[in-house]
Amino acid sequence: QVQLLESGGGLVQAGGSQRLSCTVSGRTSDISFMGWFRQAPGKEREFVAAISRNIDTTEYADSVKGRFGISRDNARNAVYLQMNSLKLEDTGVYYCATASVGTWADWTSYDNWGQGTQVTVSS
């Protein structure tokens, strides 16, 4: 079993930056990659970014390329999402998730999810 806990959300001004954190506990040996998804009101869950657990390979949604950065610290069992140049459309609940197999951008590939942290961008 794997447990995840997100933190770092809040109210952010458009154009500003925010850093989200996710701590992972439990059985982590089977994790191949970790990802961030988000869901805005009235919209489907959307892939944001993913990173391999063991190598510096990352994937990003086109909507956040050049603005967001995903990173991880295996010693701390943590994954981070640095969000820069935030836009109103970045508003949503951000979820951290882990997967052992599958497609990085496909939410159905992920087996374990956190409860999410709310990010609200205003201007």
Side-chain angles (χ1 to χ4, degrees), residues 75-95:
R76 295 177 180 269
N77 288 323
V79 60
Y80 309 97
L81 184 68
Q82 178 66 45
M83 304 182 294
N84 302 315
S85 301
L86 283 163
K87 304 175 181 179
L88 294 178
E89 53 264 42
D90 293 320
T91 293
V93 178
Y94 282 70
Y95 299 91

Side-chain angles (χ1 to χ4, degrees), residues 4-83:
L4 302 93
L5 180 62
E6 303 95 337
S7 62
L11 181 63
V12 188
Q13 183 177 340
S17 299
Q18 191 82 349
R19 182 180 176 90
L20 305 182
S21 299
C22 174
T23 57
V24 184
S25 62
R27 184 182 177 186
T28 61
S29 60
D30 292 333
I31 297 174
S32 294
F33 52 97
M34 300 163 286
W36 287 95
F37 290 76
R38 67 188 181 188
Q39 189 165 19
K43 298 183 65 177
E44 299 293 326
R45 187 170 300 183
E46 176 188 23
F47 171 74
V48 177
I51 187 170
S52 171
R53 185 191 180 193
N54 297 314
I55 60 176
D56 291 331
T57 301
T58 58
E59 294 284 341
Y60 295 94
D62 289 341
S63 60
V64 305
K65 285 181 179 177
R67 300 189 298 118
F68 289 13
I70 187 171
S71 61
R72 52 103 179 96
D73 186 341
N74 288 345
R76 295 177 180 269
N77 288 323
V79 60
Y80 309 97
L81 184 68
Q82 178 66 45
M83 304 182 294

